[in-house]
Amino acid sequence: MWRVRKLLSRVHETYLEVHVGLDDTDTDLEGCTTYLTFKILSKILNKIPKAFSPNYPLLIRLNPVIPFKTRGNAATSFIIKIPEKDLSNMKKLVIDEFYEYLRNIEGSGVEPGLVFLYGNIPNELSKLYRKALTDYVHKDYVTKIINKLNESIEIPLSYSRGLVGALAAIGASNTLTECTYEILVYRTRNNYSRERCVDEESIKAMDKAFQNQTFLNYDYENNKPLIIPSGRNPVLLGIRGEDPATLLKALKTLNLCEDFEGWLIYKTNQALNAHHVERSIEEFRPYQTGCIKGRVFENPSIRSGGDVLIKLESLENKHSLWVAFFSETGLGKLARYLMKGDVIRVCGGGKWWEDLGLVIHGDLLEVVELVNETLRNPSCPLCGHRMKSAGKGKGFKCPACGYRSLTLSKEKVKINRGVAIGTYRPVDSAVKHLIMPQSRVGRRSDCSKLLVSEWVYVREDGSIHS
Ligand SMILES: [Zn+2]
């Protein structure tokens, strides 16, 4: 009944649609943009009776190879619908909460971005999202967008680096074609410096029960829960998966042995390889992400520690670059078996190395073609020994019996390869936010899942705001 009245009352009032984008609120020590979003969103829904959110908030991971990214390179945005008369009230609430949060966190390196956008999402912001995910975004580029959209956007704090992510996170909301979801549970502040307390056996049991619709719950190889982050931040745990209702069910099976403040379900661009855009070897630049196909130029060099470096040459022209597969990703021990002449496709992010120039840090290796035969000197027709070259254009000479031949030629031999054609992904412990883990391959997850009744939950008063 209450819900019906609430819906009816919406009909008679003019509602505004406001997009709120946030970024760069974590310091070198603590903080988390998703936590601030949880605080702000739950406060709006609690304090403004007719306010409602038609969709899940977005947790957007941006380009992981940008040097001055935030710790988790995450930005967030959400949509709120409110009666026009409540707008100034809502804005004040957001800004107050923002300042209170900034007052309370320790450490430095914050350049917070906060943006309000009214009405539909302009194309410029969708484009900005794609760029902030896969490329370097220059300050002037963002300034231009802000000037162009000054009718529909508002920047209540100062201009800062965080605006890039805040605007990109708003732009993502009508750009994503595939989504995953994550439920994040937040700790109470007095627990921050303590070790997180979630019963490990219950995490394994949850993983077993929900493994087809969740991912990266537990690393059985290293006996380590993956749903629990490290460091001093407000996140107690995060379960990632394909469906919000399942995430909630999965959470409720866990045995949490510490108090928590509440939770929030996000829609995300995580675990989709969204940053893997196709590029050519010649156009790839440092700080870009993407995939390239090429031919292995010389046999890989293996560095101490097991990292593997490969020079990759374009199939069409003479352009080349370096690719690195680090041992902790598990890709190094496969890449070391590649040989000159193999064709591979590599995805990852470009960094600049002093000694090598542009190096793509690989987070996916696709072996497309393998050299499977090699040439060797013929064996001696008289005594069977392997012959040696007698010098350029002089044929072969047998080191055992001295037989010489100008007519014999090298023979083809099959090689046994230590790596097979196929696609290889990092081990679970090395999977970063944007990367698709092996367990997600083949799954589809759409962006239009409806709000479940407990998508945002604040424990303080035990009530659920939705
Ligand atoms: Zn011989």
Side-chain angles (χ1 to χ4, degrees):
M1 196 55 210
W2 171 85
R3 187 164 279 276
V4 173
R5 267 206 309 274
K6 197 166 169 178
L7 284 172
L8 281 176
S9 68
R10 283 173 198 163
V11 176
H12 302 292
E13 264 174 299
T14 315
Y15 270 73
L16 280 178
E17 183 172 278
V18 188
H19 295 261
V20 183
L22 300 101
D23 187 25
D24 208 347
T25 67
D26 45 356
T27 67
D28 49 349
L29 293 178
E30 62 168 334
C32 175
T33 304
T34 77
Y35 176 65
L36 176 58
T37 308
F38 162 72
K39 295 290 277 179
I40 290 175
L41 188 52
S42 56
K43 199 153 249 183
I44 293 173
L45 297 173
N46 195 17
K47 300 269 172 189
I48 305 175
K50 288 176 181 169
F52 68 101
S53 188
N55 213 327
Y56 292 100
L58 279 181
L59 163 55
I60 293 303
R61 304 289 176 171
L62 299 170
N63 187 344
V65 286
I66 291 294
F68 44 74
K69 66 188 165 76
T70 60
R71 257 188 292 112
N73 55 299
T76 65
S77 70
F78 60 87
I79 309 171
I80 210 83
K81 293 205 176 190
I82 46 158
E84 213 169 349
K85 64 173 172 46
D86 289 328
L87 178 63
S88 59
N89 190 9
M90 186 208 83
K91 285 200 297 200
K92 185 176 177 307
L93 201 148
V94 174
I95 294 161
D96 288 352
E97 200 63 35
F98 212 108
Y99 278 124
E100 185 180 327
Y101 167 87
L102 290 178
R103 262 197 307 278
N104 279 323
I105 57 168
E106 291 162 20
S108 60
V110 189
E111 272 204 45
L114 173 63
V115 179
F116 296 123
L117 172 98
Y118 303 99
N120 292 335
I121 294 162
N123 263 337
E124 285 84 355
L125 294 190
S126 306
K127 231 174 115 185
L128 175 66
Y129 161 65
R130 283 190 289 262
K131 198 168 167 67
L133 176 67
T134 60
D135 206 344
Y136 175 83
V137 179
H138 197 276
K139 220 171 117 190
D140 294 349
Y141 182 86
V142 181
T143 312
K144 233 182 245 171
I145 292 180
I146 292 171
N147 290 339
K148 195 172 171 199
L149 303 179
N150 69 348
E151 297 279 295
S152 55
I153 63 174
E154 207 174 321
I155 294 155
L157 307 179
S158 57
Y159 272 56
S160 70
R161 201 175 56 199
L163 284 179
V164 179
L167 286 163
I170 294 176
S173 65
N174 70 342
T175 311
L176 298 180
T177 51
E178 218 186 323
C179 299
T180 60
Y181 297 81
E182 179 164 6
I183 188 164
L184 284 163
V185 181
Y186 298 105
R187 318 181 79 184
T188 56
R189 195 173 172 87
N190 49 5
N191 281 335
Y192 284 7
S193 50
R194 297 194 192 123
E195 218 176 299
R196 289 170 176 81
C197 189
V198 182
D199 175 57
E200 210 163 309
E201 289 310 311
S202 76
I203 298 175
K204 288 190 214 169
M206 179 276 281
D207 179 60
K208 296 252 151 54
F210 298 96
Q211 59 183 335
N212 293 330
Q213 289 193 78
T214 58
F215 51 87
L216 296 179
N217 296 319
Y218 197 85
D219 176 2
Y220 294 93
E221 213 157 294
N222 301 299
N223 279 318
K224 201 173 161 269
L226 296 172
I227 64 169
I228 297 177
S230 58
R232 188 187 156 87
N233 69 63
V235 178
L236 175 59
L237 65 95
I239 310 174
R240 290 149 284 197
E242 324 296 322
D243 171 58
T246 310
L247 294 180
L248 204 52
K249 265 189 227 157
L251 172 64
K252 288 180 176 179
T253 67
L254 292 181
N255 181 7
L256 309 182
C257 33
E258 73 172 66
D259 206 2
F260 62 93
E261 208 178 314
W263 66 66
L264 178 57
I265 299 179
Y266 279 96
K267 182 151 63 172
T268 86
N269 66 345
Q270 297 175 151
L272 298 162
N273 283 344
H275 60 312
H276 288 176
V277 292
E278 296 302 323
R279 295 190 189 280
S280 69
I281 286 179
E282 53 181 311
E283 72 165 357
F284 217 121
R285 298 282 173 268
Y287 309 136
Q288 287 184 330
T289 64
C291 305
I292 42 167
K293 196 168 155 183
R295 195 178 304 278
V296 177
F297 186 72
E298 55 196 32
N299 288 346
S301 76
I302 299 156
R303 296 208 161 176
S304 63
D307 299 339
V308 174
L309 279 166
I310 292 170
K311 193 173 186 184
L312 201 62
E313 192 187 44
S314 156
L315 298 175
E316 298 83 25
N317 48 47
K318 289 285 168 217
H319 283 92
S320 65
L321 49 68
W322 287 89
V323 175
F325 291 106
F326 296 105
S327 65
E328 64 266 24
T329 64
L331 296 173
K333 64 178 178 209
L334 291 155
R336 66 194 299 156
Y337 293 114
L338 291 169
M339 282 175 59
K340 177 181 162 109
D342 290 342
V343 176
I344 58 174
R345 183 171 164 269
V346 179
C347 304
K351 291 205 175 177
W352 190 260
W353 291 22
E354 282 298 324
D355 50 346
L356 299 175
L358 176 62
V359 179
I360 311 304
H361 294 198
D363 58 47
L364 183 140
L365 166 63
E366 191 185 332
V367 179
V368 182
E369 269 175 54
L370 286 173
V371 173
N372 53 22
E373 50 191 25
T374 185
L375 294 175
R376 67 175 176 188
N377 291 347
S379 49
C380 173
L382 297 185
C383 72
H385 273 86
R386 185 75 44 212
M387 296 178 82
K388 283 190 167 162
S389 168
K392 205 168 173 168
K394 292 180 179 162
F396 297 96
K397 182 186 171 187
C398 177
C401 71
Y403 175 77
R404 283 170 177 270
S405 167
L406 278 170
T407 51
L408 286 172
S409 54
K410 289 198 174 200
E411 56 190 39
K412 283 181 184 170
V413 211
K414 274 240 173 286
I415 325 169
N416 267 336
R417 300 296 307 266
V419 60
I421 285 174
T423 303
Y424 301 95
R425 296 163 201 277
V427 292
D428 281 357
S429 56
V431 168
K432 302 268 167 56
H433 307 293
L434 285 164
I435 297 171
M436 184 182 296
Q438 185 61 45
S439 56
R440 253 214 102 245
V441 175
R443 292 190 199 172
R444 288 276 313 169
S445 179
D446 69 79
C447 302
S448 57
K449 301 271 162 108
L450 298 176
L451 288 179
V452 291
S453 66
E454 291 174 303
W455 65 279
V456 52
Y457 177 78
V458 184
R459 207 181 188 189
E460 174 191 307
D461 47 12
S463 66
I464 296 139
H465 314 280
S466 60

